[in-house]
Amino acid sequence: MPLKKNTQFDVIESFGRQDKLMKLTTTPQSHKKFPYLPNTMNVRLLTKTIKGKEVQILTSMTNPMRFPSADIVDLYSHRWEIELGFREMKQSLLDNRFTLRSNQPELIRQELWGFYWLII
């Protein structure tokens, strides 16, 4: 999964310049939504440049010998292409009608605003 901006973490170990083991602390908001989450969890942060853009990816596969960073980043890139393909298939199955995906009023307003500027 991509790393969200402003994520707070502690680096436990560095496996290389772009490969670090870190400890994430879950937030109280996360515990409200997912009460089974642990208070902290160890994850691996991989930083790679993909198509000229620096991408930071979090993974629970923390063993660098068993799971090389290049393999994880490559799989993530393939997965993202598959997700884009699914989105295109959904659009064609819906005859390219606009569909709202959000569940919250402010996000629905944002989607409608985006559709408005696409049509103009």
Side-chain angles (χ1 to χ4, degrees):
M1 83 176 355
L3 179 69
K4 291 184 179 182
K5 290 183 180 181
N6 302 324
T7 300
Q8 300 294 317
F9 59 86
D10 296 316
V11 176
I12 297 172
E13 187 176 350
S14 180
F15 303 123
R17 197 175 68 203
Q18 299 178 325
D19 190 354
K20 297 181 180 6
L21 181 66
M22 45 191 250
K23 180 168 63 171
L24 290 178
T25 304
T26 53
T27 63
Q29 296 90 350
S30 299
H31 279 285
K32 285 180 186 175
K33 195 170 185 179
F34 306 104
Y36 53 85
L37 280 177
N39 291 330
T40 63
M41 60 180 89
N42 291 343
V43 295
R44 194 165 152 206
L45 175 65
L46 304 172
T47 306
K48 292 289 181 184
T49 302
I50 301 173
K51 296 181 182 177
K53 183 179 177 185
E54 187 175 89
V55 178
Q56 293 183 311
I57 300 170
L58 289 177
T59 180
S60 60
M61 296 180 276
T62 58
N63 185 336
M65 299 303 283
R66 186 169 177 202
F67 307 106
S69 61
D71 291 350
I72 293 172
V73 172
D74 189 42
L75 286 172
Y76 177 78
S77 298
H78 288 299
R79 179 191 166 271
W80 188 248
E81 291 297 323
I82 291 168
E83 292 291 334
L84 292 175
F86 283 150
R87 188 170 78 182
E88 287 178 23
M89 288 188 324
K90 286 179 187 177
Q91 288 275 322
S92 66
L93 290 171
L94 293 171
D95 295 327
N96 290 326
R97 291 180 297 196
F98 292 123
T99 56
L100 298 175
R101 293 178 176 85
S102 300
N103 296 329
Q104 298 174 350
E106 62 273 8
L107 296 177
I108 291 172
R109 282 190 209 93
Q110 183 178 354
E111 279 190 72
L112 290 172
W113 185 86
F115 287 146
Y116 172 77
W117 289 106
L118 277 175
I119 297 170
I120 293 181

